[in-house]
Amino acid sequence: MLDEATMAAHRLAASLRGIDADTAESAHAVLLALESKPDQETLMSCAATLETIEQRLPPGTLAALVRVRLARLQELVNALLDDNLPPPAA
């Protein structure tokens, strides 16, 4: 699943380059974090960064297409977070 998230982050960063360079840099930072075998804290930071990216996207058709990629990456990061949570105490 981490490989899929890394690929999704790469695609998101590439898609954002045409919309906003700063937002694309944020997506690239998420990509780098995912490539480094992230821990729980790093994944939470990635989720927060993705939320910020979502808020900064402008309206329009191109941004709507990017939102699809963003939503998929958010799903993957959330799934990775769920997988990294410690089991509940008995």
Side-chain angles (χ1 to χ4, degrees), residues 26-51:
S26 296
H28 187 71
V30 170
L31 170 62
L32 294 176
L34 291 173
E35 287 178 335
S36 66
K37 301 199 182 199
D39 59 12
Q40 183 80 9
E41 186 177 322
T42 303
L43 288 171
M44 291 182 72
S45 177
C46 287
T49 300
L50 293 172
E51 186 70 30

Side-chain angles (χ1 to χ4, degrees), residues 12 16 23 26-27 49-57 70:
L12 178 64
L16 284 168
T23 306
S26 296
T49 300
L50 293 172
E51 186 70 30
T52 300
I53 290 170
E54 182 177 16
Q55 293 169 0
R56 292 176 62 190
L57 281 175
L70 177 63

